[in-house]
Amino acid sequence: MGQMRIMGIEGDNKMTWDPEKLVETKAVKKHFENHVNNPDKKKRFMAFYVDKEGKQGKKMDVFDPKAGMIILVPPIAGG
Amino acid sequence: MASFVHSNINPGLFGKIFRLECPVDRVSFFREFDMMRDIYRVDLNRMFNNQKMKLECPKMAITPGVNSFRSTTSSTSNSTVHADTMSQTVSATWTTWVRDQYIYYYDVETRYEQNRVHAVWSVWTDDATRALYEGVADEITDGLRVSTEQMGQAFERVAAAGVSAGRAMQNLGDAVRRGQEHRIAEVDRITKMAEKRNAAEAKAKDLLLDIIGKDELVVYEETGRVFVKGRKHDYIVQREGFIQQIDKGKIQDLCASINKNKYPLTDNVVAMKLLIESDEDQFLEIANKQGSRKYDELPKAACM
């Protein structure tokens, strides 16, 4: 089972899907695309995935249904 | 002794004076009668004042009537005079004047109004004094009209001021009530916002738990810090405060974050950790350098 966590005002919104089921995968992919490829750069999220072994975060630009846990992070800015 | 009923003079005392000093001839009697009339005039003034008080009252209750008046009289049969036994009759009636009179009053429902009414002036007098008091009555009526009008205008001003003050008090009360309602609503809003923020923070900690594990989350909850290892440098990401870049005995403060006002603080820690681990160069490009300092011992932080 894949898992995508989209950070939000009320905490992260969790989406799960079965990679074998195309409909579920397409729905999650649509959410991924909407956030990561948002036409407005100021609203564009960054996507990371965390492998279960090392739990090291890795950046991803294209949706991978077989990634362990995808985390969508809102725009980061310097202070 | 009916004439003394309205008089302020003690009839017994007056009788004594009358017997001692009044001559017994007819002329002296009428002189005495004039004096009585003078005294009676005082009484009439009191009656006028009573009528004036009634006129000032919105509800007038004047009941004029016609009556006969048996005055104290005298006879000159001999030199012995007793006021009690004098029997000469002088006719007197209730003499009434009717004039147009403006009455001012203030009513709660109808507000200030001016009505023209007939003012009825009645005095208990004989024909001889009627003419005299008729002029007095006119004078008093005129004076009363002016004073009543002034009183009515004063009532109007007081009423207007009262209405204005009432409105001001009502407005003040409304403002206080609105302020209290606003304050209650604001406290309620802040409470709900805090509850939402706490719930969001709890979810963010769940996410961090999935990344760093239960043991390290305990340390994070204690310290509010996470140790992150990048390819070039090591970092301490804090829930509140700068990101500390550790470099050869020196700490460099860096500032980069997601919108902390909008998102949970722990989500910011997760975001910084992921970015540093995956793309440190991009992180360093985004982050702004703040102050730097030397350190002897690194602060405690959760690490993987």
Side-chain angles (χ1 to χ4, degrees):
Chain A
M1 288 289 284
Q3 190 182 81
M4 187 164 77
R5 314 278 283 262
I6 307 168
M7 288 184 182
I9 297 170
E10 297 179 353
D12 59 279
N13 184 22
K14 191 187 290 185
M15 298 182 78
T16 54
W17 73 95
D18 185 351
E20 302 297 325
K21 293 182 179 177
L22 195 61
V23 178
E24 289 181 14
T25 307
K26 271 190 175 180
V28 176
K29 186 181 179 184
K30 191 180 178 185
H31 274 280
F32 181 92
E33 297 287 338
N34 286 343
H35 283 85
V36 175
N37 299 322
N38 194 314
D40 187 353
K41 279 189 176 180
K42 291 180 182 175
K43 294 179 181 175
R44 196 171 290 174
F45 277 52
M46 296 171 79
F48 301 91
Y49 71 93
V50 180
D51 57 344
K52 288 181 181 176
E53 293 78 26
K55 292 190 177 177
Q56 283 278 329
K58 288 177 184 173
K59 221 174 165 186
M60 64 188 300
D61 298 321
V62 181
F63 177 72
D64 180 6
K66 291 180 181 176
M69 181 167 69
I70 300 171
I71 300 170
L72 297 188
V73 174
I76 297 171
Chain B
M1 302 298 287
S3 62
F4 293 110
V5 171
H6 299 293
S7 173
N8 293 327
I9 302 299
N10 185 340
L13 178 62
F14 186 79
K16 287 179 183 175
I17 294 168
F18 189 86
R19 281 196 295 274
L20 289 172
E21 295 187 8
C22 182
V24 294
D25 59 2
R26 192 176 181 81
V27 175
S28 298
F29 167 74
F30 283 110
R31 191 184 299 134
E32 194 62 30
F33 182 77
D34 285 342
M35 189 184 75
M36 290 172 65
R37 195 173 56 187
D38 290 340
I39 294 166
Y40 194 44
R41 188 177 299 168
V42 175
D43 187 38
L44 287 176
N45 286 336
R46 190 167 63 83
M47 290 177 68
F48 275 115
N49 288 333
N50 288 342
Q51 295 290 355
K52 183 182 173 185
M53 286 174 66
K54 287 177 181 176
L55 279 174
E56 287 169 357
C57 178
K59 291 180 180 177
M60 292 174 59
I62 301 171
T63 54
V66 179
N67 206 337
S68 63
F69 168 50
R70 181 173 291 276
S71 170
T72 301
T73 57
S74 67
S75 64
T76 57
S77 58
N78 52 45
S79 59
T80 305
V81 177
H82 296 287
D84 296 346
T85 58
M86 292 175 187
S87 59
Q88 184 176 343
T89 299
V90 177
S91 65
T93 58
W94 279 103
T95 303
T96 303
W97 292 268
V98 179
R99 288 172 55 97
D100 287 342
Q101 174 71 53
Y102 288 96
I103 297 294
Y104 294 86
Y105 62 91
Y106 183 79
D107 187 83
V108 176
E109 292 181 357
T110 60
R111 303 284 302 281
Y112 170 75
E113 284 190 4
Q114 170 184 305
N115 283 349
R116 196 176 72 169
V117 300
H118 292 301
V120 181
W121 293 84
S122 297
V123 291
W124 179 253
T125 184
D126 61 291
D127 293 340
T129 52
R130 187 190 61 191
L132 175 66
Y133 290 112
E134 197 167 17
V136 176
D138 288 345
E139 190 178 324
I140 290 175
T141 307
D142 290 340
L144 180 59
R145 179 179 56 77
V146 172
S147 62
T148 308
E149 284 174 359
Q150 289 173 348
M151 196 181 298
Q153 288 161 5
F155 278 153
E156 188 180 30
R157 287 195 294 274
V158 169
V163 170
S164 176
R167 283 182 188 151
M169 288 298 291
Q170 194 173 6
N171 291 339
L172 182 63
D174 289 345
V176 169
R177 195 187 69 251
R178 282 198 302 274
Q180 287 173 338
E181 288 173 355
H182 179 73
R183 186 173 175 278
I184 290 167
E186 189 66 13
V187 168
D188 191 41
R189 191 182 68 82
I190 290 169
T191 305
K192 283 181 180 173
M193 205 165 71
E195 286 172 358
K196 278 185 178 179
R197 202 164 179 83
N198 289 337
E201 185 66 23
K203 286 178 83 175
K205 281 181 184 174
D206 280 346
L207 177 61
L208 185 63
L209 172 68
D210 289 346
I211 297 171
I212 66 173
K214 191 176 179 181
D215 294 339
E216 293 305 319
L217 185 68
V218 173
V219 180
Y220 169 76
E221 285 183 331
E222 181 192 340
T223 61
R225 301 187 196 97
V226 170
F227 182 83
V228 180
K229 195 168 181 62
R231 289 184 180 176
K232 296 177 182 173
H233 303 280
D234 294 335
Y235 300 86
I236 293 175
V237 179
Q238 305 183 100
R239 190 169 61 184
E240 292 177 43
F242 296 120
I243 298 166
Q244 296 174 338
Q245 185 188 60
I246 304 161
D247 186 19
K248 295 176 184 174
K250 189 179 78 171
I251 286 179
Q252 172 70 54
D253 288 332
L254 301 173
C255 187
S257 67
I258 60 174
N259 188 348
K260 287 184 182 178
N261 295 324
K262 192 174 176 183
Y263 299 100
L265 295 175
T266 301
D267 269 353
N268 180 60
V269 172
V270 173
M272 293 304 109
K273 173 179 162 41
L274 292 172
L275 183 61
I276 290 168
E277 286 174 348
S278 62
D279 194 347
E280 188 178 358
D281 290 337
Q282 187 183 3
F283 167 74
L284 292 172
E285 193 179 321
I286 292 170
N288 290 321
K289 285 187 177 178
Q290 304 292 332
S292 64
R293 60 191 176 280
K294 290 183 178 177
Y295 70 91
D296 295 326
E297 188 179 353
L298 284 173
K300 188 178 179 183
C303 58
M304 291 172 62

